[in-house]
Amino acid sequence: MLTNKPPWIALLVIWMAGSAWWHVCKIKQLCADDAPGTTQTASTPAFTLSDESRFNIGLPGTFDFAKSGAVPDLSGFDAPLDSIATYLQNNPDRQLTLTGYYTASETNPSSFANLGVARAESIKALLVQRGVTANSILTTGVERADLTFNAKGDSVNAGVNGTFAAMVAAAPPADSTASTSTLSASAVSTSVTATSVTPVSVAAGATEETLAKAEKFESVFKPIDLYFKSGSSDYIRTDETKKFFKEAIQYLRKHKDKDLILTGYTDSEGSEDVNLQLSKKRANSVKQRLLSQGVSASQIESGGKGEADPKASNDTESGRKANRRVTVVVQ
């Protein structure tokens, strides 16, 4: 025969259920309606870029960067970047200013004045890589105390933004007859790419060491040259080349669809066939070093052009030293 339970038992069950709900939903915040991050996800900023009624585009998210890093996370950004590049190419009267943001808590491992400029330059390099002229893009850096990080705190959200304005004409040089490509031995231009080279003049007496030290790391998307002493297949290491490869290796590990391009060159002395093989050997020696550091072979393209595309005149010894190089860039 069943008997009615005392009223205090029912009250105890209700109290226990209420306590459990309060602990799970309000303290732990594990209930769906109260879960943390729901409204934060909805309000996560997106990168939008407009030029009045002439151009308007919204990117799928923002340009995010690792904390203290200048290499952007570009997942799904190829098509929008192509659109921006096409607009700038079709509208040479417009100029894009890219503003990079950073916080005081971050360090600046780049050679730029601040991490914000480095981040803006990395996006600029991607657009230049797509055919945009460099003077169509200005870069600047701004420190922000309200810059947001992801939940883990290791990634910066919305690290770069942009605005359009009318093109500002560059002032002509003081001496318009002076050659803009003549440089001292300690400041050799790095305007070389894997596919084209703008020749420069190199001061007499330049050595492989001075040429190597003149190379400055700005972005893994901007080519940097590696130099070799005569008869050596081992390039001269500098702090700038170390920065480049450190950033490049980190970037390649995160972006399996990107490649590191190594292109070897020689001077014009000797036969074309021998020089072609030597240029390939130099590029391959750099490749082997990268493989030993864990870079996937499928992400390294190594080749040589021999004495083609000289960086400087082969008529001088210093020019020939400048031509004995390997150009490296991420694409």
Side-chain angles (χ1 to χ4, degrees), residues 65-71 102-103 105-110 115 119 149 154-156 247 250:
F65 297 82
K67 185 175 183 180
S68 301
V71 178
Y102 66 102
T103 65
S105 64
E106 297 182 274
T107 58
N108 178 23
S110 75
L115 187 57
R119 286 169 171 165
F149 288 79
D154 59 2
S155 180
V156 173
E247 288 266 355
Q250 291 177 350

Side-chain angles (χ1 to χ4, degrees), residues 49 55 57 78-91 96 126-133 136-137 164:
L49 184 63
F55 179 79
I57 191 172
D78 285 338
L81 285 171
D82 290 342
S83 298
I84 297 171
T86 300
Y87 177 74
L88 285 170
Q89 289 172 300
N90 293 337
N91 296 272
L96 174 64
L126 291 169
L127 293 170
V128 171
Q129 184 180 329
R130 287 166 165 78
V132 179
T133 57
S136 293
I137 307 174
F164 282 106

Side-chain angles (χ1 to χ4, degrees), residues 5 10 28 40 143 185 191 196 220 262 298 306:
K5 296 180 179 178
K28 293 292 187 179
Q40 182 179 359
E143 181 180 335
S191 57
S196 63
V220 295
L262 298 168
S298 63

Side-chain angles (χ1 to χ4, degrees), residues 33-255:
D33 292 340
D34 298 323
T38 301
T39 56
Q40 182 179 359
T41 300
S43 62
T44 298
F47 181 93
T48 59
L49 184 63
S50 63
D51 192 7
E52 299 177 346
S53 60
R54 303 172 64 170
F55 179 79
N56 187 24
I57 191 172
L59 276 64
T62 66
F63 287 117
D64 298 340
F65 297 82
K67 185 175 183 180
S68 301
V71 178
D73 182 356
L74 297 174
S75 304
F77 278 39
D78 285 338
L81 285 171
D82 290 342
S83 298
I84 297 171
T86 300
Y87 177 74
L88 285 170
Q89 289 172 300
N90 293 337
N91 296 272
D93 62 316
R94 306 304 288 170
Q95 195 167 47
L96 174 64
T97 296
L98 292 170
T99 302
Y101 302 112
Y102 66 102
T103 65
S105 64
E106 297 182 274
T107 58
N108 178 23
S110 75
S111 59
F112 291 100
N114 58 63
L115 187 57
V117 175
R119 286 169 171 165
E121 282 286 335
S122 68
I123 304 301
K124 176 180 178 178
L126 291 169
L127 293 170
V128 171
Q129 184 180 329
R130 287 166 165 78
V132 179
T133 57
N135 64 350
S136 293
I137 307 174
L138 303 178
T139 58
T140 185
V142 175
E143 181 180 335
R144 289 180 56 174
D146 61 343
L147 196 61
T148 60
F149 288 79
N150 67 353
K152 295 181 179 179
D154 59 2
S155 180
V156 173
N157 299 322
V160 171
N161 208 337
T163 56
F164 282 106
M167 172 66 74
V168 178
D175 181 5
S176 59
T177 62
S179 172
T180 58
S181 62
T182 302
L183 304 174
S184 67
S186 61
V188 178
S189 170
T190 58
S191 57
V192 58
T193 69
T195 57
S196 63
V197 176
T198 301
V200 301
S201 296
V202 182
T207 66
E208 291 87 350
E209 286 83 357
T210 58
L211 291 167
K213 291 179 180 179
E215 294 293 310
K216 300 300 179 184
F217 167 66
E218 297 181 10
S219 165
V220 295
F221 307 109
K222 182 174 181 179
I224 191 170
D225 285 337
L226 311 177
Y227 291 95
F228 301 75
K229 291 185 178 180
S230 179
S232 173
S233 60
D234 199 13
Y235 72 89
I236 299 171
R237 291 163 188 72
T238 67
D239 289 341
E240 299 300 303
T241 61
K242 291 176 182 177
K243 290 178 184 177
F244 179 96
F245 283 116
K246 180 180 179 179
E247 288 266 355
I249 291 172
Q250 291 177 350
Y251 180 80
L252 292 171
R253 287 173 178 169
K254 293 181 180 179
H255 301 83

